Amino acid sequence: MSDTLTKLTYQTFQQGKNYFGLAHKTLSTRLLNFISPVEQQTKPIPTEVLPKLQQRLDNLLEIDWQDAERGVYPTSLLFDNPWQDFFQYYPVVCLDLFQMWERAKQKRYQDFPPNVETSAYPSYYVQNFHHQTDGYLSDLSANLYDLQVEILFGGTADPMRRRILAPLKEGLKFFADTSTQQVRILDVACGTGRTLKMIRAALPQASLFGTDLSPAYLRKANELLSQIPGELPQLLQANAEELPYLDNYFHAVTSVFLFHELPAGVRQRVIEQCYRVTKPGGVFIICDSIQMSDSPEMEPLMENFHEIYHEPYYKHYMTDDLVERLEKAGFENVKVQVHFMSKYLIAHKPV
């Protein structure tokens, strides 16, 4: 297949995912207004924001294609999607909407059934983030998560995740001639393993590690990662505030979509732990939501996200200075990138 045809196929593939996400949101909103209205105090989105949002989306897809074309990761990764899970669990996602609506209406933000154990987790984690049934603490939640996130981001969650791969490979060049060890990479709050799967595709010889607080999500990650070639990543249940690894152990550490769900003080402790376990000369990469400092024109979308979804720490996150936090922990040469609705901080540990 020619590059032009492959690119056109990729664009069509992504547009299809985007339209699917929009169709689902439109349908669910209409059902909500018809069946169980929930009053939301949201800011109207100015009309001038919409073309800017479309331009951001176009730019994201273009750089995603360019990174694949220049060999940062295989082109096949552009088309990777858990279709079997999506078809299997989409009806469940639709049925689950009724519970989510009722939970939102009654402001039940820490609503868990008796069979879900919550006592072993920090209080900030025991939340129905974005009104999700069982929070992050059940197999049902783990099975629905990737589909729910793709719907939320209009099919762009994976392209946004992939934006960590180019700076990750660039950051590892420091060790190309100085280390005889196999490269070790840790993904903090690895969830269902989507990011680790992408890192494996880009760096097939690396030794991969992942931590998460949720045993259910780790089971889902194990299921996903055991299906791909190469060494199986080592997954551990662990709190990112106290990573169970030696100092200076990893050549690189990544964290995707974690920090907006942490209280301010916890953010700092997690960053300090990531600094501790990163080798001198290593790189730490954060992917998370955009912030006011880099995307003031997107304030209505950020405010709406805070209002519509239960994200109790997002409002503070919007204005938090993550660069200052990284530098306070000891990182230097912090670079910032923005792609679509995500922000990336690439920080280096001094040699």
Side-chain angles (χ1 to χ4, degrees), residues 43 260-262 267 291-292 299 302-307 309 311-320:
K43 287 187 176 183
H260 72 281
E261 292 188 344
L262 299 177
R267 277 180 222 135
Q291 294 182 291
M292 286 293 295
E299 179 185 5
M302 286 186 268
E303 287 288 354
N304 285 353
F305 183 71
H306 162 68
E307 294 291 346
Y309 300 93
E311 291 285 0
Y313 314 111
Y314 187 80
K315 194 169 183 65
H316 183 276
Y317 168 86
M318 285 167 51
T319 57
D320 198 11

Side-chain angles (χ1 to χ4, degrees), residues 58-289:
D58 293 342
N59 291 343
L60 171 69
L61 300 186
E62 180 61 29
I63 195 170
D64 196 27
W65 167 259
Q66 289 176 2
D67 278 357
E69 195 173 38
R70 63 192 181 93
V72 175
Y73 41 81
T75 305
S76 59
L77 201 59
L78 298 174
F79 302 97
D80 179 63
N81 198 66
W83 292 113
Q84 182 176 341
D85 274 11
F86 278 22
F87 288 127
Q88 180 179 352
Y89 293 117
Y90 183 68
V92 185
V93 167
C94 292
L95 291 173
D96 192 49
L97 284 172
F98 296 98
Q99 291 190 63
M100 295 173 67
W101 292 338
E102 194 62 26
R103 191 178 299 115
K105 186 177 180 180
Q106 297 182 16
K107 300 186 184 299
R108 301 200 318 264
Y109 300 137
Q110 295 178 304
D111 183 36
F112 294 88
N115 64 315
V116 173
E117 174 58 46
T118 61
S119 61
Y121 303 97
S123 58
Y124 63 80
Y125 187 72
V126 185
Q127 305 276 350
N128 300 103
F129 289 104
H130 35 87
H131 306 294
Q132 186 162 305
T133 299
D134 301 338
Y136 293 134
L137 297 178
S138 74
D139 291 319
L140 172 65
S141 169
N143 285 328
L144 301 186
Y145 177 79
D146 286 327
L147 175 54
Q148 289 171 325
V149 171
E150 284 292 356
I151 289 172
L152 174 64
F153 288 121
T156 63
D158 279 352
M160 287 192 292
R161 286 188 184 103
R162 285 194 287 269
R163 303 284 58 75
I164 72 164
L165 297 178
L168 175 61
K169 294 184 82 169
E170 184 66 28
L172 290 172
K173 287 181 180 179
F174 173 81
F175 298 104
D177 300 320
T178 61
S179 177
T180 58
Q181 299 174 328
Q182 186 176 23
V183 168
R184 291 190 291 266
I185 301 170
L186 170 66
D187 188 37
V188 177
C190 64
T192 63
R194 292 292 295 170
T195 301
L196 283 170
K197 184 179 182 183
M198 295 174 185
I199 295 173
R200 168 63 74 226
L203 294 159
Q205 302 306 315
S207 186
L208 304 184
F209 299 74
T211 64
D212 202 275
L213 262 175
S214 171
Y217 277 62
L218 288 171
R219 284 192 291 272
K220 186 68 176 180
N222 233 348
E223 177 188 322
L224 171 70
L225 297 168
S226 63
Q227 298 170 4
I228 61 177
E231 174 189 341
L232 187 65
Q234 299 181 41
L235 305 180
L236 284 178
Q237 183 185 7
N239 189 329
E241 296 179 78
E242 194 173 352
L243 293 172
Y245 300 106
L246 298 173
D247 296 356
N248 307 318
Y249 189 67
F250 294 101
H251 299 80
V253 177
T254 62
S255 182
V256 177
F257 301 148
L258 167 67
F259 280 81
H260 72 281
E261 292 188 344
L262 299 177
V266 177
R267 277 180 222 135
Q268 189 63 42
R269 289 195 290 275
V270 172
I271 287 173
E272 289 166 357
Q273 281 291 296
C274 291
Y275 181 86
R276 179 183 65 79
V277 301
T278 302
K279 282 179 172 291
V283 63
F284 174 41
I285 302 173
I286 295 172
C287 162
D288 215 295
S289 167

